[in-house]
Amino acid sequence: MPLHNADMAAIFSEIADLLEIQGANPFRVRAYRNAARAVGEFGKSVSTMIEQNEDLKGIRGVGNDLAEKLREIAATGKCGLLEQLHHEMPAAITELLEIQGLGPKRVRAIHDALHVRTLEQLHRAAKEGKIRDLPGFGEKTEAHIIETIEAHLHKSRRFKLALAEQYAQPLIACLRRTPGVGEAVVAGSFRRRCSTVGDLDLLVTARDAAAVTERFVRYDEVAEVLSSGETRSSVVLRSGIQVDLRVVAPASFGAALVYLTGSKAHNIAMRRIAQQRGLKINEYGVFRGEKRIAGDTEASVYATIDLPWIPPELRENRGELRAAAAQRLPTLIQLADLSGDLHAHTKASDGHDDLLDMALAARERGLSYLAITDHSSRLAVTHGLDAKRLAQQIDEIDRINRTLQGIVLLKGIEVDILEDGHLDLPDAILKRLDVVVGAVHSHFNLPRERQTERVLRAMTHPSFSILAHPTGRLIGERDPYDIDLVRVIRKARACGCHLELDAHPDRLDLADIYCQMAKAEGVLISIDSDAHSRFDFDNLRRGVDEARRGWLEKHDVLNSRSLDQLRPLLGRTAVGKVASA
DNA sequence: GCCGTTTTCGGCCCGACTGTTTTCAGTCG
């Protein structure tokens, strides 16, 4: 059973935490953290690379020592250093770091003085009043620990972007109405368009910071004020989301926006570049000695290190700084680049609207084609279509297309990929369709090899066009099923079929890093709404967000094509039709 | 422990806020 990159990353993260609690060299700790992140995000399976004797030093942050540890982990499933650390410190101790306000030094102090090893023991010790007497601790810290642990037990800590937007917009509007406020924007992972955000980072320019802070902490959705200072304050809203506010002068807006947008890794990399040039970047500007040389706009900050402005979605330190330096930043896909949508449902299965309503709503969005892809009958809960009902729908679409202006409905299906990789409809009916979207909706727990073979087999079907939501993840609810996406992507290239980025805010599947991999392999991505009602075409915007995070450009996206350009790309039967036409 | 358009050694991002101190360490973003 090969280990996944995420498993290896988790081992390095735990080593970093334990080393930090032990007071190890902070740069050594950081090396493990960086490597954990790099391995976790690395496109290829590190286990496979090791099997094939590939050089691991291509992974940024992995040198001789960590490459050797990765090989050890792949071979044995364990890491000697971690085992040794577990002998020295209890394994559960790292969970104490999850409590806000407890860092490595304090965790160490609590452990050494009270032999606390778990969250429950920490809770008890705090309840018994044992924390307050430790040096460097006090009553407030003790009370905070109790409160945080109790809240920690029943709270999900990340919010889907779509939900976070609902909290952010009225708050931003409120701050903009505050006298003296210039700019008021949301930065952080929200601005980088991450699929989930841990908190909201607001940036405001104002001459009177105190007045803005005052307005902020009195916002009527504020449940708790965590901190409140001259230029920085934090609150928790009733919804449970934490909001951090930073107030700066207009001359620092650009520098502060870069700083607050992050990511942290991107900022660190930028500051290193600046440092090598004798410059210092902080949230107030770019400085040569005492003199500020830039900072009012983001572009001015990047310009000091000879880089063009970098779109926020790319700022993850995944190569964007090198690409910028080489003048090779991608021209990212935009919502307006989408010509059509290749995955939508009607009330024939589990949708809410009929064919015409869906067509008109799509046309209103500026789309020129819409594929109707209801479920197939295996998915009984959705009242999926069998061959007979699908044939009726095909006829009805033909009728509607004869009168419809400005948009074309494409005949399609979201056909179930059965456990053995067969498709849930006869070939004869699939051949009559413009687009066949295949999807896994059952048997999520197959072992990796069987799950992968199942999907690969489906993709070889001559009518197969697009693999829908390729990992099946439901954000915050269901993990992706275990599948080898590298093989799936290569199969798509070999078969001439495509992968979907399902734009439903609960899915956003493919995730950014796999979009980037597909792009590298020359596989096109279809950004689809998976609309179940005429209001769901808004989803496309979310899909574009994720696609931009995956470096996709217009030409990487299947449904940026016009209908004429699209038809030859949809399945090999369609190619045949075109060739014989 | 990693890394190099100065470098294979000597660096490694930077500042605000809190609580516990009585000038600052720890934590966070």
Side-chain angles (χ1 to χ4, degrees), chain A residues 133-355:
Chain A
D133 296 329
L134 299 179
F137 292 78
E139 280 183 38
K140 277 198 160 181
T141 306
E142 185 178 83
H144 177 75
I145 287 172
I146 294 171
E147 201 180 319
T148 313
I149 291 178
E150 288 174 358
H152 187 80
L153 299 175
H154 49 82
K155 252 186 200 168
S156 78
R157 282 165 303 158
R158 290 196 75 81
F159 291 75
K160 286 172 201 156
L161 183 59
L163 187 62
E165 254 176 15
Q166 294 173 27
Y167 300 125
Q169 280 159 355
L171 177 48
I172 282 290
C174 165
L175 291 173
R176 286 198 180 129
R177 285 195 302 270
T178 305
V181 164
E183 302 278 356
V185 297
V186 190
S189 49
F190 183 97
R191 183 162 179 252
R192 301 199 311 278
R193 309 313 284 163
C194 296
S195 56
T196 65
V197 301
D199 60 12
L200 293 172
D201 298 292
L202 309 189
L203 174 63
V204 165
T205 60
R207 286 189 175 72
D208 182 3
V212 180
T213 302
E214 174 70 5
R215 181 70 196 87
F216 175 64
V217 299
R218 289 162 57 105
Y219 180 62
D220 62 8
E221 285 182 37
V222 169
E224 185 187 358
V225 178
L226 297 176
S227 70
S228 177
E230 188 66 17
T231 65
R232 197 174 136 175
S233 29
S234 293
V235 302
V236 178
L237 300 186
R238 283 200 303 269
S239 54
I241 196 165
Q242 182 174 327
V243 188
D244 301 331
L245 172 73
R246 194 72 187 251
V247 187
V248 299
S252 296
F253 178 67
L257 189 53
V258 168
Y259 163 72
L260 273 185
T261 298
S263 66
K264 188 171 181 169
H266 175 89
N267 287 351
I268 289 174
M270 264 182 84
R271 286 171 171 178
R272 286 179 82 151
I273 295 170
Q275 204 178 38
Q276 286 161 2
R277 298 170 180 229
L279 302 174
K280 182 177 72 172
I281 298 180
N282 60 28
E283 57 264 57
Y284 299 108
V286 184
F287 296 85
R288 177 172 284 123
E290 295 292 302
K291 184 175 160 51
R292 173 159 63 190
I293 60 169
D296 58 335
T297 65
E298 285 195 320
S300 77
V301 174
Y302 284 104
T304 60
I305 50 175
D306 292 322
L307 297 180
W309 180 83
I310 297 176
E313 295 92 330
L314 299 183
R315 300 183 196 172
E316 298 291 346
N317 199 27
R318 293 182 192 150
E320 71 281 6
L321 290 164
R322 270 168 285 150
Q327 302 296 326
R328 278 208 288 271
L329 282 174
T331 305
L332 297 178
I333 179 89
Q334 298 181 11
L335 183 59
D337 292 331
L338 298 186
S339 298
D341 185 352
L342 296 173
H343 184 168
H345 298 267
T346 71
K347 57 188 182 190
S349 64
D350 60 347
H352 300 291
D353 292 304
D354 60 24
L355 287 168

Side-chain angles (χ1 to χ4, degrees), chain A residues 449-466:
Chain A
E449 182 66 18
R450 274 179 65 197
Q451 194 69 278
T452 305
E453 289 297 336
R454 169 194 191 181
V455 169
L456 296 186
R457 176 166 194 180
M459 293 169 84
T460 59
H461 190 288
S463 295
F464 194 97
S465 326
I466 298 170

Side-chain angles (χ1 to χ4, degrees), chain A residues 498-520:
Chain A
H498 317 286
L499 301 184
E500 181 182 66
L501 196 180
D502 188 310
H504 194 287
D506 293 345
R507 290 192 182 269
L508 296 171
D509 182 13
L510 279 183
D512 48 12
I513 59 171
Y514 299 115
C515 289
Q516 211 171 351
M517 277 173 60
K519 175 191 173 99

